[in-house]
Amino acid sequence: MTDDAWTILYRGPLSSCNYGCTYCPFAKTSNTRAELAEDAARLERFVTWVQEINRPVRLLFTPWGEALVHRAYQQALATLSHTPHVGTVSIQTNLSCKLDWLHSCDWTRAALWTTWHPTQTPRQKFLTQCERLEADGARYSVGVVGMKEHFDEIEQLRQELPPHVYLWVNAYKRDPAYYSEQEVRQLMDIDPVFPVNNRRHASLGRACRAGHTAFTVDGDGHARRCHFIKDVIGNIYEPDFPNRLAPRPCGTATCGCHIGYIHMESPGLTQVFGDQTLERIPLGWPHQRPDPAQISALAEGGVAG
Ligand code: SF4
Ligand code: SF4
């Protein structure tokens, strides 16, 4: 995959989830049959556009709520994984869906960004789903939010997952002083890249690929630089769309999510994740663990909290 590949994050109108995480606006919500049909139609249009653009792309579906319980998203992942100019196609999921469709994907391109929600599903049930991913040769990472009350469960999960599966920990950042130094070290034993996420990275005026070689797309084809800057820069279904892409410095103070700061020139997370940035799997994992000194240097540009 060449460096001029576009990195595209897609988020359609779907806004429902079968889980009930208390902090989430989509918890235990549902879409009507008509809304789901509309979402599927827009997804199909996006997939067709990707198939026809004939240029290298990397894709990540970042739905509101849970999308992979719907056949339309399973089929989209499978179809795009067989599209030669798609370098990688991944989707964020709580992994609660049936997995009878896994065989239809080319897992050299497809991957799953899975998240375990300890309050919503028992660890053993989540691990059983992971065993099914293993059996079908699926590539995937597993993530969890680093709440203190779940530390023991997170450590257990690390021990019970196959060593080749990367377990990332998202920092709880609402309280800037949430973790002690010892707790940070504890989480780094599980996820060596944790310090990079345990920061909001100063971004105002800094170089970022978002809006140039990376962008987000909604169900109407409207493109934005990223999920955190609402201005529309163009529409992918317009023929002049490529002309709307240009280098731009970031316009917000900080950037605190993996799906945002991965696009920044600094910290340069492609050093850590390479071509596996969207599926969130460090290069060489597990044989080559990211170097703590390098991670600390990458995290240093951030501001605590
Ligand atoms: S699984 Fe994700 S989308 Fe669903 S309720 Fe929990 S946080 Fe929200
Ligand atoms: S630094 Fe983050 S918020 Fe700023 S443009 Fe890039 S992705 Fe968006």
Side-chain angles (χ1 to χ4, degrees):
M1 179 109 323
T2 56
D3 278 348
D4 63 344
W6 283 348
T7 296
I8 307 173
L9 277 57
Y10 178 86
R11 179 181 285 162
L14 184 94
S15 60
S16 51
C17 185
N18 52 336
Y19 278 8
C21 306
T22 50
Y23 53 84
C24 178
F26 308 106
K28 293 288 180 197
T29 51
S30 55
N31 287 114
T32 64
R33 200 175 280 255
E35 286 168 342
L36 289 176
E38 184 60 38
D39 183 72
R42 293 176 192 209
L43 175 65
E44 189 179 341
R45 187 181 185 198
F46 174 71
V47 170
T48 303
W49 175 81
V50 172
Q51 289 178 298
E52 291 175 350
I53 54 173
N54 197 26
R55 60 165 302 134
V57 290
R58 300 184 183 95
L59 305 167
L60 173 63
F61 291 93
T62 56
W64 297 128
E66 175 59 32
L68 209 53
V69 290
H70 302 291
R71 285 279 170 203
Y73 283 88
Q74 298 164 6
Q75 283 164 3
L77 196 72
T79 300
L80 292 168
S81 76
H82 291 286
T83 302
H85 57 272
V86 172
T88 183
V89 53
S90 189
I91 183 167
Q92 296 176 329
T93 174
N94 62 24
L95 203 60
S96 61
C97 61
K98 288 184 183 164
L99 298 174
D100 55 351
W101 51 275
L102 290 176
H103 62 89
S104 55
C105 289
D106 176 351
W107 292 105
T108 61
R109 292 196 179 93
L112 301 178
W113 160 313
T114 75
T115 305
W116 176 48
H117 299 274
T119 61
Q120 301 301 304
T121 193
R123 194 177 74 249
Q124 203 48 55
K125 192 170 175 191
F126 184 84
L127 284 163
T128 301
Q129 290 287 81
C130 294
E131 281 168 20
R132 180 67 194 275
L133 298 184
E134 293 291 324
D136 278 85
R139 282 191 313 128
Y140 64 105
S141 64
V142 174
V144 67
V145 179
M147 303 300 296
K148 292 185 191 189
E149 59 268 35
H150 297 145
F151 275 19
D152 289 346
E153 284 259 50
I154 294 169
E155 292 199 341
Q156 278 296 322
L157 181 69
R158 175 60 281 172
Q159 285 171 25
E160 290 162 358
L161 278 171
H164 65 265
V165 174
Y166 178 57
L167 173 59
W168 46 265
V169 181
N170 263 0
Y172 181 77
K173 294 198 270 286
R174 287 181 201 171
D175 173 0
Y178 186 66
Y179 300 108
S180 67
E181 284 183 21
Q182 196 277 331
E183 286 165 341
V184 169
R185 280 196 297 276
Q186 195 177 343
L187 292 176
M188 280 181 75
D189 282 345
I190 292 164
D191 175 7
V193 191
F194 177 74
V196 175
N197 187 262
N198 193 26
R199 293 280 187 282
R200 294 197 62 84
H201 297 270
S203 57
L204 187 64
R206 292 202 178 174
C208 181
R209 287 183 287 275
H212 186 207
T213 57
F215 52 91
T216 69
V217 176
D218 69 15
D220 295 319
H222 295 312
R224 297 171 175 82
R225 304 186 60 177
C226 61
H227 285 318
F228 316 106
I229 297 181
K230 299 299 169 208
D231 303 335
V232 173
I233 59 173
N235 190 295
I236 60 169
Y237 302 128
E238 298 290 336
D240 71 337
F241 175 69
N243 300 333
R244 305 301 187 93
L245 299 172
R248 303 164 166 90
C250 177
T252 63
T254 61
C255 190
C257 282
H258 179 90
I259 58 171
Y261 58 64
I262 53 170
H263 305 310
M264 293 174 70
E265 305 271 328
S266 170
L269 282 179
T270 48
Q271 294 172 53
V272 177
F273 292 97
D275 260 5
Q276 304 188 132
T277 307
L278 291 185
E279 46 271 61
R280 207 165 171 174
I281 303 172
L283 285 174
W285 186 268
H287 308 295
Q288 187 188 320
R289 281 177 77 88
D291 172 26
Q294 180 196 26
I295 294 301
S296 152
L298 293 176
E300 232 159 58
V303 288

